[in-house]
Amino acid sequence: MSKTPSGPHDEKTRGIHELYAEDPLAADKELWDRETDPLSRRGFLKRSSLLAMAAAVGASIPFADKMPSGLIPAALAQSDEPFSIEGKEGLTVLNDRPVNAETPPHLLDDDVTPAKYMFVRNNGLPPEQSGIDVDSWTLEIAGESCQNPKSFTIAELKKQFDQHTYQLTVECGGNGRAEFNPSASGNQWTTGAVACPSYTGVRVKDVLEACGIKNDAVYIGYYGADTHISGDPKKEPISRGVPMEKALEDESLIAWAMNDEDIPYQNGYPLRLVCGGWPGSVSGKWLNKIVIRNQKHDGAKMAPPSYSVPKHPVAPGTDVPLDEFVTIHAMPVKSLITFPKSGITHSDPGPLEVRGHAWAGDLSVKEVEVSTDFGVTWQKAELKEAPNRLAWQRFTTEVTFPEPGYYEVWAKAVDSEGNAQPMVVPGWNPKGYLNNACHRIAVQVA
């Protein structure tokens, strides 16, 4: 913690995250009196600053000369504050109106994400659970490019169309927002706004084709039964969509089950849209209407800067004109270390098992590498094939440490087109979207 004057007679206590969010290099200087090599931006020019950081993490740092500047040690960046809501365990709350809660990485170690560990990202207020009648719930298909508008009950969807089950990666577009500097507005997600459960339902394309798709169709949009947090019934909390090409993929589902059970209430019960690999905001919850559009959908949170990034790279803090934004489509390549938990002490003289998941939007993951020396050298991990398209992939490996001390294990994934995760936070954008920097955990070697 650091104390700085906030007025003529008082002091304000600031935490490490706030200091690094304001100016990471200044935070290095203030907390550790740290200066790095001006060319490589790595290491510690002063032994006293290295000793200060080592004392904070509780051990020596064998690869200190390779540690990048402006980086909070992973041991100090973690948070274990619990939050529980009905049907959930161990989630960390970011907002309570609307409810937004993420999952600590070590709870995402399962190949198929359990419902209790599925993150919650709401834009509005869910419909009252007691008022949901599954038997009478209907899904309306309409829009200017729909030839024969129809409505279906869930029972009719199950009866009239083939059912399919896919494991699908769903990730909030702002996952990782907390690392951007200057900070971006919105829920300060770290790494836990992602999950990959299995979904069962009917294909969007089968239902749309049964209603007739006009030749001028270019987009779909969804509407749900959630309400705006203001309470104004005329306002939609969110109504987004995807181009027809994405909507008509085999894996795009109208789903009523998750992991062979009802979809959890906070995750869209009793019906939701699932378009894996794209921002979770396109996978509408409490689904009751899909419209086939002859233009890009113009529902709530479709206009920039919502779920949009600048067309061209901009300097951090730039005020970007609204006509210079482009809507986010597929999510970038990313990985997450799920074992061990960050901050463990490894006292066994043998190797340490490291495992996690990697995913890549509409693409697949080609390889995953891990590093124990702050990204100077890398070793390849074993990577499993995905159970189906748009599902994450398991990686595993073992790492060894040359001597006792403080280490960070980093993971880097490369997608099927050769795009690799950056080692640092990628290009800044006003809303803090698409951060796919390498994930890292802290390990104390005794």
Side-chain angles (χ1 to χ4, degrees), residues 96-141:
D96 61 358
R97 186 177 173 86
V99 173
N100 287 275
E102 67 174 335
T103 314
H106 69 280
L107 296 182
L108 292 171
D109 194 44
D110 297 272
D111 287 341
V112 179
T113 306
K116 63 183 178 181
Y117 296 145
M118 173 80 178
F119 74 99
V120 177
R121 197 305 182 227
N122 293 342
N123 283 270
L125 305 178
E128 289 292 334
Q129 190 169 6
S130 60
I132 295 176
D133 182 353
V134 177
D135 293 335
S136 63
W137 191 276
T138 58
L139 172 64
E140 179 186 359
I141 308 298

Side-chain angles (χ1 to χ4, degrees), residues 296-308:
K296 182 178 179 180
H297 186 53
D298 53 1
K301 296 191 181 294
M302 279 298 297
S306 294
Y307 302 102
S308 304

Side-chain angles (χ1 to χ4, degrees), residues 253-328:
L253 295 181
I254 298 167
W256 54 77
M258 192 174 97
N259 298 344
D260 300 320
E261 297 182 346
D262 289 342
I263 292 173
Y265 168 60
Q266 289 285 355
N267 299 124
Y269 173 80
L271 198 68
R272 71 170 297 168
L273 186 65
V274 187
C275 297
W278 285 38
S281 57
V282 304
S283 295
K285 298 186 291 186
W286 309 288
L287 181 69
N288 58 19
K289 185 176 183 179
I290 294 177
V291 289
I292 308 174
R293 306 297 312 273
N294 62 5
Q295 62 179 43
K296 182 178 179 180
H297 186 53
D298 53 1
K301 296 191 181 294
M302 279 298 297
S306 294
Y307 302 102
S308 304
V309 293
K311 294 178 182 178
H312 309 290
V314 299
T318 299
D319 185 8
V320 182
L322 294 182
D323 61 358
E324 288 296 312
F325 282 88
V326 61
T327 302
I328 298 168

